[in-house]
Amino acid sequence: MKRQLDIRGDVCPGLFVKVRAEMERLRKGEKLEVILKERDLKDVMSTLKIEGYQVPHVSQEGEDYRVTVTK
Amino acid sequence: MEDLDYQELKKGGMMRQSEKGRFSVRLHVTGGNLTSMAMGIIVHVAERFGSGEIHLTARQGIEIPNISQEDLRKVKNELSSGGVSVGVCGPTIRTITACQGCRICPNGILDAPRLAGVIDQNFYGKPVPHKFKIGISGCTNNCIKAEENDVGIKGAVEPLWDEEFCTHCGICQSVCPVKAIEVDQEKKKVKIRFFQCIYCGDCIQSCPTNSMKEAQRGFLLYAGGKFGRFPSIGKRIGKLFSHDSDLIKAVGASVEFFRLNGKPKERFGGALERVGFDKFEEFMREKLEEGLDEKAA
Ligand code: SF4
Ligand code: SF4
Ligand code: SF4
């Protein structure tokens, strides 16, 4: 089952604390779908990249983005 | 004794206070960084010769106020024993400011404090027609406010799209702060409009497939900014300068142009307005091509 994390209502730095905590719980091969606002896209994407996660899928729905993350 | 003090005062860095016979001693700080050892000696001097107060100036400088005139020499000696020297004032190249840069800040492109050190070694305290301020921001977020300096520098990066693994997801287009990117999902093309691009690198940092690459890293240079009574914003000179080696040349060319064209009491921006920014751009181009290695006299 794909886990989901909705951070549309969160702001920095709490947002990153949530993302990190979720990512740490992720097992190899497991997927996490993060739902976020466009305004946080750059910070979230660059953080995921710096920390070495993979982002195999991204989709956009209006102002929202759904980003699939794996370890 | 009086004579010796006068010699010390003439060298600058001892700022006369409102209260007669007292001085605020300005220190030489580079890129906003101090070692703990330097900090220790500053604290010691402030306690022993001053009032225990230490003032942080508007441009990352430090002043120790409430020093008596007769202690100036001793203060200078104590400070230098801890590797701290006295700053400058008057028509000279002033404190080189810098943000934390890429060694500390995740957004950083340039190692701003290190470059501040290099510029400092070449230019700090050197004479110019009027005071001359230099500041370095590690990236285009510009925490150091490059445009309010006579010469301001910002770390910058030029993007390059590589189509091989691009999924046309649209993230680069969404994150671009100036909407310089267009992702055409049907034609599977990504277009960057470089005349709009501010070289921030957000597209590169955000691309999930590493399809936005770095064409080159370097810096943007802004000239003629100042604050004070009549603030003005520095203008960008040239495009993206390639990393590091050109920096000293570009700063050197700016200083040289100011020496050739500036008047006393006129800031660099005033000289540029009067003589023409285009003349300066031309001068800069020539100097960079010449491979001039300015060691300011
Ligand atoms: S200018 Fe850029 S590198 Fe420097 S502190 Fe700000 S965000 Fe970081
Ligand atoms: S973010 Fe990367 S993968 Fe997505 S469209 Fe831009 S270049 Fe292509
Ligand atoms: S470097 Fe910045 S301004 Fe230039 S295209 Fe990329 S995101 Fe846009």
Side-chain angles (χ1 to χ4, degrees), chain B residues 73-110:
Chain B
R73 181 155 289 240
K74 270 185 270 172
V75 162
K76 199 170 176 177
N77 291 342
E78 288 279 325
L79 286 169
S80 75
S81 76
V84 177
S85 53
V86 171
V88 294
C89 51
T92 58
I93 297 181
R94 304 291 186 83
T95 303
I96 323 294
T97 59
C99 70
Q100 299 245 59
C102 64
R103 262 183 301 140
I104 310 287
C105 176
N107 293 319
I109 289 166
L110 292 181

Coordinates of all heavy atoms in Angstrom, one line a residue, chain B residues 73-110:
Chain B
R73 N 47.3 52.7 21.8 CA 48.4 51.9 21.4 C 48.4 50.5 22.1 O 48.6 49.5 21.4 CB 49.7 52.6 21.7 CG 51.0 51.9 21.3 CD 52.1 52.9 21.1 NE 51.9 53.6 19.9 CZ 52.7 53.6 18.8 NH1 53.8 52.9 18.8 NH2 52.4 54.4 17.8
K74 N 48.1 50.5 23.4 CA 48.1 49.3 24.1 C 47.0 48.4 23.6 O 47.2 47.1 23.4 CB 47.8 49.5 25.6 CG 49.1 49.7 26.4 CD 48.8 49.8 27.9 CE 48.6 51.3 28.2 NZ 48.1 51.5 29.6
V75 N 45.9 49.0 23.3 CA 44.7 48.2 22.7 C 45.1 47.6 21.4 O 44.9 46.4 21.2 CB 43.5 49.2 22.5 CG1 42.5 48.6 21.5 CG2 42.8 49.5 23.8
K76 N 45.8 48.3 20.6 CA 46.2 47.8 19.3 C 47.2 46.6 19.5 O 47.0 45.6 18.8 CB 46.9 49.0 18.5 CG 47.0 48.7 17.0 CD 47.4 49.9 16.3 CE 47.5 49.6 14.8 NZ 47.9 50.7 14.0
N77 N 48.1 46.8 20.4 CA 49.0 45.7 20.6 C 48.4 44.4 21.2 O 48.7 43.3 20.7 CB 50.2 46.1 21.6 CG 51.1 47.2 20.9 OD1 51.1 47.3 19.7 ND2 51.8 47.9 21.7
E78 N 47.5 44.6 22.1 CA 46.8 43.5 22.7 C 46.0 42.7 21.6 O 46.0 41.5 21.5 CB 45.7 43.9 23.7 CG 46.1 44.4 25.1 CD 46.5 43.3 26.1 OE1 45.9 42.3 26.2 OE2 47.4 43.7 26.9
L79 N 45.3 43.5 20.8 CA 44.5 42.9 19.8 C 45.3 42.1 18.8 O 45.0 41.0 18.4 CB 43.7 44.0 19.0 CG 42.5 44.7 19.7 CD1 42.1 45.9 18.9 CD2 41.4 43.7 19.8
S80 N 46.5 42.7 18.4 CA 47.3 42.0 17.4 C 47.9 40.7 18.0 O 48.2 39.8 17.2 CB 48.3 42.9 16.8 OG 49.4 43.2 17.7
S81 N 48.1 40.7 19.3 CA 48.6 39.5 19.9 C 47.6 38.3 19.7 O 47.9 37.1 19.7 CB 48.9 39.7 21.4 OG 47.6 39.7 22.1
G82 N 46.3 38.7 19.5 CA 45.3 37.6 19.2 C 44.9 37.5 17.8 O 43.9 37.0 17.4
G83 N 45.8 38.2 16.9 CA 45.5 38.1 15.5 C 44.4 39.0 15.0 O 43.9 38.8 13.9
V84 N 44.1 40.0 15.8 CA 43.0 40.9 15.4 C 43.7 42.3 15.0 O 44.5 42.8 15.8 CB 42.0 41.1 16.5 CG1 40.9 42.2 16.1 CG2 41.3 39.8 16.9
S85 N 43.3 42.8 13.9 CA 43.9 44.1 13.6 C 42.8 45.2 13.5 O 41.6 44.9 13.5 CB 44.7 44.1 12.3 OG 43.9 43.6 11.3
V86 N 43.3 46.5 13.6 CA 42.4 47.6 13.6 C 41.9 47.9 12.1 O 42.6 47.7 11.2 CB 43.1 48.8 14.2 CG1 42.3 50.1 14.0 CG2 43.3 48.5 15.7
G87 N 40.7 48.3 12.0 CA 40.0 48.5 10.7 C 40.5 49.8 10.0 O 41.4 50.5 10.4
V88 N 39.7 50.2 9.0 CA 40.0 51.4 8.2 C 38.8 52.4 8.2 O 37.7 52.0 8.5 CB 40.5 51.1 6.8 CG1 41.8 50.3 6.8 CG2 39.4 50.3 6.0
C89 N 39.1 53.6 7.8 CA 38.0 54.6 7.5 C 38.5 55.5 6.4 O 39.6 55.2 5.8 CB 37.7 55.3 8.8 SG 39.1 56.1 9.6
G90 N 37.8 56.5 6.1 CA 38.2 57.4 5.0 C 38.0 56.9 3.6 O 37.4 55.8 3.5
P91 N 38.7 57.5 2.7 CA 38.5 57.1 1.3 C 39.3 55.8 0.9 O 40.4 55.8 0.3 CB 39.0 58.3 0.4 CG 40.0 59.0 1.3 CD 39.5 58.7 2.8
T92 N 38.8 54.7 1.4 CA 39.5 53.4 1.2 C 38.5 52.3 0.9 O 37.3 52.5 1.0 CB 40.2 52.9 2.6 OG1 39.2 52.8 3.6 CG2 41.3 53.9 3.0
I93 N 39.1 51.1 0.6 CA 38.2 50.0 0.4 C 37.9 49.4 1.7 O 38.8 49.0 2.5 CB 38.9 49.0 -0.6 CG1 39.0 49.7 -1.9 CG2 38.0 47.7 -0.7 CD1 39.6 48.9 -3.0
R94 N 36.6 49.4 2.1 CA 36.1 49.0 3.4 C 35.9 47.5 3.6 O 36.1 46.7 2.6 CB 34.8 49.8 3.7 CG 35.0 51.3 3.5 CD 35.8 51.9 4.6 NE 35.9 53.3 4.6 CZ 34.9 54.1 5.1 NH1 33.9 53.6 5.7 NH2 35.0 55.4 5.0
T95 N 35.3 47.2 4.7 CA 35.0 45.8 5.1 C 34.4 45.0 3.9 O 33.4 45.5 3.3 CB 34.0 45.8 6.3 OG1 34.6 46.5 7.3 CG2 33.7 44.4 6.7
I96 N 34.9 43.9 3.6 CA 34.3 43.0 2.6 C 33.3 42.1 3.3 O 33.7 41.3 4.2 CB 35.3 42.1 1.9 CG1 36.7 42.8 1.7 CG2 34.8 41.5 0.6 CD1 36.7 44.0 0.7
T97 N 32.0 42.3 3.0 CA 31.0 41.5 3.7 C 30.7 40.2 2.9 O 30.9 40.2 1.7 CB 29.7 42.3 3.9 OG1 29.2 42.7 2.6 CG2 29.9 43.5 4.7
A98 N 30.2 39.2 3.6 CA 29.8 38.0 3.0 C 28.8 37.2 3.8 O 28.8 37.3 5.0 CB 31.0 37.1 2.7
C99 N 27.9 36.5 3.2 CA 27.0 35.6 3.9 C 27.8 34.3 4.2 O 29.0 34.2 4.0 CB 25.8 35.2 3.1 SG 26.2 34.2 1.7
Q100 N 27.2 33.3 4.7 CA 27.9 32.0 5.1 C 28.3 31.2 3.9 O 29.2 30.4 4.0 CB 26.9 31.1 5.9 CG 26.5 31.8 7.2 CD 27.0 31.0 8.4 OE1 28.2 30.9 8.6 NE2 26.2 30.5 9.3
G101 N 27.6 31.4 2.8 CA 28.1 30.8 1.5 C 27.8 29.2 1.5 O 27.2 28.7 2.5
C102 N 28.3 28.6 0.5 CA 28.0 27.2 0.3 C 28.5 26.2 1.3 O 28.0 25.1 1.4 CB 28.4 26.8 -1.2 SG 30.1 26.8 -1.4
R103 N 29.5 26.5 2.1 CA 30.0 25.6 3.0 C 29.0 25.4 4.2 O 29.0 24.3 4.8 CB 31.4 26.1 3.6 CG 32.6 25.4 3.0 CD 33.8 25.9 3.6 NE 34.0 27.3 3.6 CZ 34.4 28.1 4.6 NH1 34.8 27.5 5.7 NH2 34.5 29.4 4.4
I104 N 28.2 26.4 4.4 CA 27.2 26.3 5.5 C 25.8 26.3 5.0 O 25.0 25.5 5.4 CB 27.4 27.5 6.5 CG1 28.8 27.6 6.9 CG2 26.4 27.3 7.7 CD1 29.4 26.6 7.9
C105 N 25.5 27.2 4.1 CA 24.1 27.3 3.6 C 23.8 26.4 2.5 O 24.5 26.4 1.5 CB 23.9 28.8 3.2 SG 22.3 29.1 2.5
P106 N 22.7 25.6 2.6 CA 22.4 24.6 1.5 C 22.0 25.3 0.2 O 22.1 24.7 -0.9 CB 21.1 23.9 2.1 CG 20.9 24.4 3.4 CD 21.8 25.6 3.7
N107 N 21.7 26.6 0.2 CA 21.4 27.3 -1.1 C 22.6 27.8 -1.8 O 22.6 28.2 -2.9 CB 20.5 28.5 -0.8 CG 19.1 28.1 -0.3 OD1 18.5 27.1 -0.9 ND2 18.6 28.7 0.6
G108 N 23.7 27.8 -1.0 CA 24.9 28.5 -1.5 C 25.5 27.9 -2.8 O 25.5 26.7 -3.0
I109 N 26.0 28.8 -3.6 CA 26.7 28.5 -4.8 C 28.2 28.8 -4.7 O 29.1 28.1 -5.1 CB 26.1 29.1 -6.1 CG1 24.7 28.5 -6.3 CG2 27.0 29.0 -7.3 CD1 23.8 29.3 -7.3
L110 N 28.5 30.0 -4.1 CA 29.8 30.4 -3.9 C 30.2 30.2 -2.4 O 29.4 30.3 -1.5 CB 30.0 31.9 -4.2 CG 29.9 32.5 -5.6 CD1 30.1 34.0 -5.5 CD2 30.9 31.8 -6.5

